[in-house]
Amino acid sequence: MARKLSFLLAINEAMHQEMARDESVIVLGEDIAGGAGGSAGNDEAWGGALGATQGLKTKYPNRVLDTPISESAFIGAAVGAAAAGMRPIAELMFVDFMGVCFDQIYNQAAKFRYMFGGNAVTPVVIRTMYGAGLRAASQHSQTLYPLFAHIPGLKVVIPSNPYDAKGLLIQAIRDNDPIVFFEHKALYELEGEVPEESYTIPFGEANIVREGSDVTIVAVGRMVQQSLIAAETLAAEGISVEIVDPRTISPLDEDTIYESVENTGRLVIVDEAHPRCSFASDVGALVAQNAFHALTAPIRMVTAPHSPVPFSPSLEDLFVPSPEKIAAAVRGVMNAKAGARR
Amino acid sequence: MTVTAELTQEQLLRGYRTMRTIREFEERLHIEIANAQIPGFVHLYAGEEAVAAGVCASLADTDWVSSTHRGHGHAIAKGCDVKGMMAEIYGRATGLCKGKGGSMHIADFRVGMLGANGIVGGGPPLVCGVGLASKVRGDGTVGVAFLGDGASNQGTFLESLNLSAIWKLPVVFVVENNGYGEATGQAYHQSVADTAKRADGFGLPGITVDGNDFFAVAEAAAEAIARARDGHGPTLLECKTTRFFGHFEGDTQTYRDLSEVTEARASRDCLVSFRARVTRAGLIDAGVLDAMDAEIRQLIDESVVEALAAPFPDASQLTTDVYIKY
Amino acid sequence: MSGEGAAAGPDAPAGLAKLVMPKWGLSMSEGRFIGWLVEEGTDVGLGDGLAEVETDKIDGVVEATSAGTLLRRLAQPGETIPVGAPIGVIGPGDADPAVVAAWAAELQASFIPGEDGDSGPKTETLTADGRRLRFLRVGGGDGTAAQTVVLLHGFGGDLGNWLFNQEPLSSSSRQVIALDLPGHGESSKELVTGDLDELAGAVGAFLDALGIAQAHLVGHSLGGAVAIRLALTRPGLIASLALIAPAGLGAEIDGEYIDGFVAAESRRDLKPLLERLFADPEIVTRRLVDDVLRMKRIDGVTEALTAIGAATFPAGRQAHVLTADLAAAAVPVLVVWGTADQIVPPAHAGAAPVRARVEVLEGAGHSPHMERASDVNRLLDAFLGTV
């Protein structure tokens, strides 16, 4: 039995191993160590808001930097350090905070290589938490990866399990383009097999999480886990679901999605983001353009509603696409026919 | 004249060459733009040359500068190839950025030019990163962020003052205070007369100098850069100067009395005062400067001719230098 | 493929034995029951194939773990069944049906699944000659086993390749050890040259580190060539050689497979290559491909495989033809080859020394120990019983 590790510790191990391997890797962010300047005199009191960076400060005191709550300055500093030859990992505690530093990401980091005629690389990784489910309300629960995937030059990575989290993060650190690495806060405790050695998972290579023949589900991040639960229910009903996890939505492994839809003829896309101009709508449009011939039923999207994330548990539970909603959408496409009214 | 004594003959000649090259470059662009040969937005640096030249006099190729939308001067002062710059501004394949950047995004990392920047206030955080890299590596390099008085109101700048101060980063923030954020006067857009005063609140030195005086800028910058290099942290250096042209080429400048410019050109032209000072002190012969002027004029002429003759980028370049095509 | 269950259950009435969902490999926690191959009431011998089971990794056949009559078929096609759960009852043909039924019901009612596949032996690591080697040890009772068998996987494989063989070959008097060769699995990836001598030397050092004075080697493909080389360089250490589709008996090899395997980065590239390993490409499941990809993604694996490939299979040929070595190594030799091998030509079996026992499996591909496990296990067991 291979070693099991939580999603959180898989991410932690990736950073530990890359810091040991490459001296140009630095880590910066708010309270990634925590405690500096406090009366306890403990310079590693937290190890990150949820502990993802634990142990790094003690081991690499000069390469791990707590920052003031000053996202523009430190995200920008990470970008500048990358331009100057470092491999910074900046932690944007919640992706909801992109609003106070987005310029440094989308106008600076994302554009250097192209705008400077290919004469610059910007190997920065921005790790950030996303997603609903922790009763954190509207400004700490959003799923904002579509906003980043829209920007050419950024790579957008959304691991769904501990194995992928470690391999994709190491790939991200070694990659020469700016990367936004999305970690769903409800996945941190998920355990899975994770090799102890360092390894990389290439970007733009979808994972077929489960093979099936009736319906293709395309999902990322936490929605992969929700879809797996739905697929079990559906299997008991005799519906065979294939789940494709693109792992990175930019670049996107379109071919694997098309191949799967060509095998199943039906597509359900599950996305925790809002429905307009989203990952789900993008995949739907791509399949409609490039694999229309294979469809035997309309494409369905299961997404969050077009509303902010609510606070009350009763409402938040309705906000997140549930296995029940996913299963219902799959049953819907099993019964639907192309050309029929919805 | 302690300053002049401290600057070597070579630094003086380089300073003059830089300022004259910038002036010729910008004056020529002003004409070429009127000829409708140049696409897009161009913001000219003429009048502010002493700032770029004075600061960069103490920088090596391994040091970094971040620049602004008004970036030609910084690029030239930091050592970017003038012909490559001209071709870039003309949008040609032979440009420094293969025609993909243009006037507002000229960069050359090989000489430490981190890029002109279309976002007002975009540079200071980047320079904090340059300083951080220097500090982690312990390689003694310094980063300089050029910004205007307009940008000095941006959160990015104020955040960068704090971050660089708490981390004691080897950086210098150079505010080129030309009195206008685009079309809005500093007296309106800023609560202090001297931007340098803002350093007080962040616990770093703030110095105000005459930005039209190469010697004043060079002296203050040399000290700030040495301070940074020696590990004593950041400095805010405010250089008061005058923009000879509008915010952008095509700006009718109805927001200012143009006597401001006439007066500045007549009495506060950095090239004029530099020449007077070095020739009067017998440091450089006027003939040497004249010869340099002619040489630079020739260089700019050639730059324009070559840029106009150069091809536009091939269509295939649309989706190269970015990781993905779509 | 043994179905010896770990979970304890109610005591068996005289003569009755349960058949359980087997555990194939380290990570199997459950299997999907495809169907029975024999009817109730059929007399079965030890090792006879009784049913087909599919896992997320590979499909296989459940073998009889006792001789007798298949009295009850408890598992139904389509069911997903945890490892160790009862799937049938074997016993004397004249057993009282009421007793059988009652015991079967009791077995099913009392079964408690193990901890998510955590049961069973665990891999270990040791350092030999400064190199970390991972291995899995099964059987051997108290550790003073009469016989030690070491399984050497092929190019790009790992100890998991023996999932259908290791446990069935083991017993209280025979310990069976599978290891990850250098550059593979979770063993060290650093290689000096990657040639046969280095790999054989590492296996020798491994045996020394474990204090094993004499071992029987079973080698597949590249592992076969490693075994031959070690038998020659360390006479006395190696007691016998069982070679499955081995490298080293001729110059030909599917160079496209070797180069393609090293270069493959995606499921799409790798799957068609892995299908060449088997006569039946259906064996190559998504999980099998994923497992190989996971191994290949580990830092240093590509470099290691490149080095081994360059040293042993340069330019689409085998660099080492070891027929003379094999003839000179004074140990018993078994050669097993599938007639449908697409990687190394089965004709190479003809180069085995005269004293060797050569067994040809009609229709089997390059990996008969996986796709024809029961046949290979029977051949190995018989061979090891005589040496």
mmCIF file with all atom_site columns, all heavy atoms in Angstrom, chain A residues 255-271:
data_model
loop_
_atom_site.group_PDB
_atom_site.id
_atom_site.type_symbol
_atom_site.label_atom_id
_atom_site.label_alt_id
_atom_site.label_comp_id
_atom_site.label_asym_id
_atom_site.label_entity_id
_atom_site.label_seq_id
_atom_site.pdbx_PDB_ins_code
_atom_site.Cartn_x
_atom_site.Cartn_y
_atom_site.Cartn_z
_atom_site.occupancy
_atom_site.B_iso_or_equiv
_atom_site.pdbx_formal_charge
_atom_site.auth_seq_id
_atom_site.auth_comp_id
_atom_site.auth_asym_id
_atom_site.auth_atom_id
_atom_site.pdbx_PDB_model_num
ATOM 1   N N   . ASP A 1 255 ? -8.724  17.492 -26.435 1.00 0.00 ? 255 ASP A N   1
ATOM 2   C CA  . ASP A 1 255 ? -8.848  16.217 -27.152 1.00 0.00 ? 255 ASP A CA  1
ATOM 3   C C   . ASP A 1 255 ? -9.456  15.122 -26.286 1.00 0.00 ? 255 ASP A C   1
ATOM 4   O O   . ASP A 1 255 ? -10.280 14.343 -26.760 1.00 0.00 ? 255 ASP A O   1
ATOM 5   C CB  . ASP A 1 255 ? -7.466  15.770 -27.660 1.00 0.00 ? 255 ASP A CB  1
ATOM 6   C CG  . ASP A 1 255 ? -6.990  16.660 -28.801 1.00 0.00 ? 255 ASP A CG  1
ATOM 7   O OD1 . ASP A 1 255 ? -7.828  17.393 -29.369 1.00 0.00 ? 255 ASP A OD1 1
ATOM 8   O OD2 . ASP A 1 255 ? -5.785  16.633 -29.112 1.00 0.00 ? 255 ASP A OD2 1
ATOM 9   N N   . THR A 1 256 ? -9.022  15.060 -25.034 1.00 0.00 ? 256 THR A N   1
ATOM 10  C CA  . THR A 1 256 ? -9.565  14.003 -24.169 1.00 0.00 ? 256 THR A CA  1
ATOM 11  C C   . THR A 1 256 ? -11.061 14.203 -23.949 1.00 0.00 ? 256 THR A C   1
ATOM 12  O O   . THR A 1 256 ? -11.828 13.237 -23.903 1.00 0.00 ? 256 THR A O   1
ATOM 13  C CB  . THR A 1 256 ? -8.797  13.972 -22.837 1.00 0.00 ? 256 THR A CB  1
ATOM 14  O OG1 . THR A 1 256 ? -7.439  13.626 -23.109 1.00 0.00 ? 256 THR A OG1 1
ATOM 15  C CG2 . THR A 1 256 ? -9.382  12.962 -21.870 1.00 0.00 ? 256 THR A CG2 1
ATOM 16  N N   . ILE A 1 257 ? -11.473 15.459 -23.851 1.00 0.00 ? 257 ILE A N   1
ATOM 17  C CA  . ILE A 1 257 ? -12.912 15.733 -23.694 1.00 0.00 ? 257 ILE A CA  1
ATOM 18  C C   . ILE A 1 257 ? -13.665 15.279 -24.944 1.00 0.00 ? 257 ILE A C   1
ATOM 19  O O   . ILE A 1 257 ? -14.675 14.580 -24.857 1.00 0.00 ? 257 ILE A O   1
ATOM 20  C CB  . ILE A 1 257 ? -13.140 17.238 -23.421 1.00 0.00 ? 257 ILE A CB  1
ATOM 21  C CG1 . ILE A 1 257 ? -12.521 17.627 -22.075 1.00 0.00 ? 257 ILE A CG1 1
ATOM 22  C CG2 . ILE A 1 257 ? -14.632 17.568 -23.443 1.00 0.00 ? 257 ILE A CG2 1
ATOM 23  C CD1 . ILE A 1 257 ? -12.494 19.122 -21.795 1.00 0.00 ? 257 ILE A CD1 1
ATOM 24  N N   . TYR A 1 258 ? -13.140 15.628 -26.115 1.00 0.00 ? 258 TYR A N   1
ATOM 25  C CA  . TYR A 1 258 ? -13.828 15.235 -27.355 1.00 0.00 ? 258 TYR A CA  1
ATOM 26  C C   . TYR A 1 258 ? -13.878 13.713 -27.495 1.00 0.00 ? 258 TYR A C   1
ATOM 27  O O   . TYR A 1 258 ? -14.887 13.141 -27.878 1.00 0.00 ? 258 TYR A O   1
ATOM 28  C CB  . TYR A 1 258 ? -13.139 15.837 -28.586 1.00 0.00 ? 258 TYR A CB  1
ATOM 29  C CG  . TYR A 1 258 ? -13.043 17.343 -28.580 1.00 0.00 ? 258 TYR A CG  1
ATOM 30  C CD1 . TYR A 1 258 ? -11.976 17.997 -29.189 1.00 0.00 ? 258 TYR A CD1 1
ATOM 31  C CD2 . TYR A 1 258 ? -14.020 18.124 -27.956 1.00 0.00 ? 258 TYR A CD2 1
ATOM 32  C CE1 . TYR A 1 258 ? -11.877 19.382 -29.181 1.00 0.00 ? 258 TYR A CE1 1
ATOM 33  C CE2 . TYR A 1 258 ? -13.924 19.506 -27.942 1.00 0.00 ? 258 TYR A CE2 1
ATOM 34  C CZ  . TYR A 1 258 ? -12.849 20.132 -28.554 1.00 0.00 ? 258 TYR A CZ  1
ATOM 35  O OH  . TYR A 1 258 ? -12.753 21.488 -28.536 1.00 0.00 ? 258 TYR A OH  1
ATOM 36  N N   . GLU A 1 259 ? -12.741 13.077 -27.190 1.00 0.00 ? 259 GLU A N   1
ATOM 37  C CA  . GLU A 1 259 ? -12.706 11.611 -27.319 1.00 0.00 ? 259 GLU A CA  1
ATOM 38  C C   . GLU A 1 259 ? -13.744 10.964 -26.412 1.00 0.00 ? 259 GLU A C   1
ATOM 39  O O   . GLU A 1 259 ? -14.435 10.014 -26.807 1.00 0.00 ? 259 GLU A O   1
ATOM 40  C CB  . GLU A 1 259 ? -11.314 11.079 -26.946 1.00 0.00 ? 259 GLU A CB  1
ATOM 41  C CG  . GLU A 1 259 ? -10.295 11.254 -28.051 1.00 0.00 ? 259 GLU A CG  1
ATOM 42  C CD  . GLU A 1 259 ? -8.857  11.051 -27.557 1.00 0.00 ? 259 GLU A CD  1
ATOM 43  O OE1 . GLU A 1 259 ? -8.668  10.404 -26.499 1.00 0.00 ? 259 GLU A OE1 1
ATOM 44  O OE2 . GLU A 1 259 ? -7.935  11.541 -28.228 1.00 0.00 ? 259 GLU A OE2 1
ATOM 45  N N   . SER A 1 260 ? -13.846 11.482 -25.207 1.00 0.00 ? 260 SER A N   1
ATOM 46  C CA  . SER A 1 260 ? -14.810 10.905 -24.267 1.00 0.00 ? 260 SER A CA  1
ATOM 47  C C   . SER A 1 260 ? -16.234 11.118 -24.765 1.00 0.00 ? 260 SER A C   1
ATOM 48  O O   . SER A 1 260 ? -17.059 10.201 -24.751 1.00 0.00 ? 260 SER A O   1
ATOM 49  C CB  . SER A 1 260 ? -14.617 11.529 -22.882 1.00 0.00 ? 260 SER A CB  1
ATOM 50  O OG  . SER A 1 260 ? -15.544 10.986 -21.974 1.00 0.00 ? 260 SER A OG  1
ATOM 51  N N   . VAL A 1 261 ? -16.519 12.345 -25.228 1.00 0.00 ? 261 VAL A N   1
ATOM 52  C CA  . VAL A 1 261 ? -17.872 12.629 -25.712 1.00 0.00 ? 261 VAL A CA  1
ATOM 53  C C   . VAL A 1 261 ? -18.173 11.798 -26.961 1.00 0.00 ? 261 VAL A C   1
ATOM 54  O O   . VAL A 1 261 ? -19.301 11.351 -27.171 1.00 0.00 ? 261 VAL A O   1
ATOM 55  C CB  . VAL A 1 261 ? -18.040 14.138 -25.989 1.00 0.00 ? 261 VAL A CB  1
ATOM 56  C CG1 . VAL A 1 261 ? -19.360 14.432 -26.689 1.00 0.00 ? 261 VAL A CG1 1
ATOM 57  C CG2 . VAL A 1 261 ? -17.952 14.928 -24.686 1.00 0.00 ? 261 VAL A CG2 1
ATOM 58  N N   . GLU A 1 262 ? -17.151 11.547 -27.757 1.00 0.00 ? 262 GLU A N   1
ATOM 59  C CA  . GLU A 1 262 ? -17.372 10.704 -28.937 1.00 0.00 ? 262 GLU A CA  1
ATOM 60  C C   . GLU A 1 262 ? -17.736 9.276  -28.521 1.00 0.00 ? 262 GLU A C   1
ATOM 61  O O   . GLU A 1 262 ? -18.457 8.583  -29.228 1.00 0.00 ? 262 GLU A O   1
ATOM 62  C CB  . GLU A 1 262 ? -16.131 10.725 -29.845 1.00 0.00 ? 262 GLU A CB  1
ATOM 63  C CG  . GLU A 1 262 ? -16.171 11.949 -30.768 1.00 0.00 ? 262 GLU A CG  1
ATOM 64  C CD  . GLU A 1 262 ? -14.820 12.331 -31.368 1.00 0.00 ? 262 GLU A CD  1
ATOM 65  O OE1 . GLU A 1 262 ? -13.853 11.588 -31.150 1.00 0.00 ? 262 GLU A OE1 1
ATOM 66  O OE2 . GLU A 1 262 ? -14.778 13.381 -32.030 1.00 0.00 ? 262 GLU A OE2 1
ATOM 67  N N   . ASN A 1 263 ? -17.242 8.852  -27.352 1.00 0.00 ? 263 ASN A N   1
ATOM 68  C CA  . ASN A 1 263 ? -17.579 7.509  -26.868 1.00 0.00 ? 263 ASN A CA  1
ATOM 69  C C   . ASN A 1 263 ? -18.950 7.449  -26.208 1.00 0.00 ? 263 ASN A C   1
ATOM 70  O O   . ASN A 1 263 ? -19.631 6.437  -26.291 1.00 0.00 ? 263 ASN A O   1
ATOM 71  C CB  . ASN A 1 263 ? -16.522 7.028  -25.856 1.00 0.00 ? 263 ASN A CB  1
ATOM 72  C CG  . ASN A 1 263 ? -15.226 6.679  -26.568 1.00 0.00 ? 263 ASN A CG  1
ATOM 73  O OD1 . ASN A 1 263 ? -15.221 6.330  -27.741 1.00 0.00 ? 263 ASN A OD1 1
ATOM 74  N ND2 . ASN A 1 263 ? -14.125 6.786  -25.846 1.00 0.00 ? 263 ASN A ND2 1
ATOM 75  N N   . THR A 1 264 ? -19.318 8.535  -25.522 1.00 0.00 ? 264 THR A N   1
ATOM 76  C CA  . THR A 1 264 ? -20.562 8.480  -24.741 1.00 0.00 ? 264 THR A CA  1
ATOM 77  C C   . THR A 1 264 ? -21.724 9.173  -25.438 1.00 0.00 ? 264 THR A C   1
ATOM 78  O O   . THR A 1 264 ? -22.878 8.802  -25.228 1.00 0.00 ? 264 THR A O   1
ATOM 79  C CB  . THR A 1 264 ? -20.380 9.172  -23.379 1.00 0.00 ? 264 THR A CB  1
ATOM 80  O OG1 . THR A 1 264 ? -20.050 10.541 -23.602 1.00 0.00 ? 264 THR A OG1 1
ATOM 81  C CG2 . THR A 1 264 ? -19.268 8.501  -22.568 1.00 0.00 ? 264 THR A CG2 1
ATOM 82  N N   . GLY A 1 265 ? -21.446 10.200 -26.219 1.00 0.00 ? 265 GLY A N   1
ATOM 83  C CA  . GLY A 1 265 ? -22.509 10.941 -26.902 1.00 0.00 ? 265 GLY A CA  1
ATOM 84  C C   . GLY A 1 265 ? -23.240 11.942 -26.018 1.00 0.00 ? 265 GLY A C   1
ATOM 85  O O   . GLY A 1 265 ? -24.130 12.640 -26.481 1.00 0.00 ? 265 GLY A O   1
ATOM 86  N N   . ARG A 1 266 ? -22.881 11.992 -24.744 1.00 0.00 ? 266 ARG A N   1
ATOM 87  C CA  . ARG A 1 266 ? -23.600 12.903 -23.833 1.00 0.00 ? 266 ARG A CA  1
ATOM 88  C C   . ARG A 1 266 ? -22.600 13.611 -22.925 1.00 0.00 ? 266 ARG A C   1
ATOM 89  O O   . ARG A 1 266 ? -21.611 13.018 -22.511 1.00 0.00 ? 266 ARG A O   1
ATOM 90  C CB  . ARG A 1 266 ? -24.607 12.133 -22.967 1.00 0.00 ? 266 ARG A CB  1
ATOM 91  C CG  . ARG A 1 266 ? -25.659 11.391 -23.764 1.00 0.00 ? 266 ARG A CG  1
ATOM 92  C CD  . ARG A 1 266 ? -26.590 10.618 -22.831 1.00 0.00 ? 266 ARG A CD  1
ATOM 93  N NE  . ARG A 1 266 ? -27.554 9.823  -23.569 1.00 0.00 ? 266 ARG A NE  1
ATOM 94  C CZ  . ARG A 1 266 ? -27.338 8.559  -23.945 1.00 0.00 ? 266 ARG A CZ  1
ATOM 95  N NH1 . ARG A 1 266 ? -26.198 7.957  -23.651 1.00 0.00 ? 266 ARG A NH1 1
ATOM 96  N NH2 . ARG A 1 266 ? -28.267 7.903  -24.613 1.00 0.00 ? 266 ARG A NH2 1
ATOM 97  N N   . LEU A 1 267 ? -22.905 14.874 -22.596 1.00 0.00 ? 267 LEU A N   1
ATOM 98  C CA  . LEU A 1 267 ? -21.963 15.664 -21.803 1.00 0.00 ? 267 LEU A CA  1
ATOM 99  C C   . LEU A 1 267 ? -22.681 16.447 -20.713 1.00 0.00 ? 267 LEU A C   1
ATOM 100 O O   . LEU A 1 267 ? -23.645 17.165 -20.980 1.00 0.00 ? 267 LEU A O   1
ATOM 101 C CB  . LEU A 1 267 ? -21.205 16.642 -22.713 1.00 0.00 ? 267 LEU A CB  1
ATOM 102 C CG  . LEU A 1 267 ? -20.273 17.633 -22.002 1.00 0.00 ? 267 LEU A CG  1
ATOM 103 C CD1 . LEU A 1 267 ? -19.125 16.909 -21.293 1.00 0.00 ? 267 LEU A CD1 1
ATOM 104 C CD2 . LEU A 1 267 ? -19.708 18.653 -22.990 1.00 0.00 ? 267 LEU A CD2 1
ATOM 105 N N   . VAL A 1 268 ? -22.183 16.280 -19.498 1.00 0.00 ? 268 VAL A N   1
ATOM 106 C CA  . VAL A 1 268 ? -22.604 17.124 -18.375 1.00 0.00 ? 268 VAL A CA  1
ATOM 107 C C   . VAL A 1 268 ? -21.339 17.770 -17.824 1.00 0.00 ? 268 VAL A C   1
ATOM 108 O O   . VAL A 1 268 ? -20.339 17.081 -17.584 1.00 0.00 ? 268 VAL A O   1
ATOM 109 C CB  . VAL A 1 268 ? -23.293 16.295 -17.271 1.00 0.00 ? 268 VAL A CB  1
ATOM 110 C CG1 . VAL A 1 268 ? -23.538 17.145 -16.024 1.00 0.00 ? 268 VAL A CG1 1
ATOM 111 C CG2 . VAL A 1 268 ? -24.619 15.732 -17.789 1.00 0.00 ? 268 VAL A CG2 1
ATOM 112 N N   . ILE A 1 269 ? -21.369 19.091 -17.655 1.00 0.00 ? 269 ILE A N   1
ATOM 113 C CA  . ILE A 1 269 ? -20.207 19.789 -17.118 1.00 0.00 ? 269 ILE A CA  1
ATOM 114 C C   . ILE A 1 269 ? -20.557 20.279 -15.722 1.00 0.00 ? 269 ILE A C   1
ATOM 115 O O   . ILE A 1 269 ? -21.615 20.881 -15.524 1.00 0.00 ? 269 ILE A O   1
ATOM 116 C CB  . ILE A 1 269 ? -19.814 20.980 -18.017 1.00 0.00 ? 269 ILE A CB  1
ATOM 117 C CG1 . ILE A 1 269 ? -19.733 20.535 -19.479 1.00 0.00 ? 269 ILE A CG1 1
ATOM 118 C CG2 . ILE A 1 269 ? -18.470 21.559 -17.572 1.00 0.00 ? 269 ILE A CG2 1
ATOM 119 C CD1 . ILE A 1 269 ? -20.150 21.598 -20.449 1.00 0.00 ? 269 ILE A CD1 1
ATOM 120 N N   . VAL A 1 270 ? -19.676 19.983 -14.787 1.00 0.00 ? 270 VAL A N   1
ATOM 121 C CA  . VAL A 1 270 ? -19.939 20.362 -13.397 1.00 0.00 ? 270 VAL A CA  1
ATOM 122 C C   . VAL A 1 270 ? -18.896 21.386 -12.961 1.00 0.00 ? 270 VAL A C   1
ATOM 123 O O   . VAL A 1 270 ? -17.698 21.142 -13.082 1.00 0.00 ? 270 VAL A O   1
ATOM 124 C CB  . VAL A 1 270 ? -19.882 19.130 -12.466 1.00 0.00 ? 270 VAL A CB  1
ATOM 125 C CG1 . VAL A 1 270 ? -20.325 19.526 -11.063 1.00 0.00 ? 270 VAL A CG1 1
ATOM 126 C CG2 . VAL A 1 270 ? -20.759 18.008 -13.005 1.00 0.00 ? 270 VAL A CG2 1
ATOM 127 N N   . ASP A 1 271 ? -19.367 22.523 -12.485 1.00 0.00 ? 271 ASP A N   1
ATOM 128 C CA  . ASP A 1 271 ? -18.473 23.645 -12.206 1.00 0.00 ? 271 ASP A CA  1
ATOM 129 C C   . ASP A 1 271 ? -19.016 24.412 -11.006 1.00 0.00 ? 271 ASP A C   1
ATOM 130 O O   . ASP A 1 271 ? -20.197 24.753 -10.976 1.00 0.00 ? 271 ASP A O   1
ATOM 131 C CB  . ASP A 1 271 ? -18.447 24.543 -13.464 1.00 0.00 ? 271 ASP A CB  1
ATOM 132 C CG  . ASP A 1 271 ? -17.436 25.669 -13.371 1.00 0.00 ? 271 ASP A CG  1
ATOM 133 O OD1 . ASP A 1 271 ? -16.699 25.752 -12.373 1.00 0.00 ? 271 ASP A OD1 1
ATOM 134 O OD2 . ASP A 1 271 ? -17.386 26.473 -14.327 1.00 0.00 ? 271 ASP A OD2 1
#
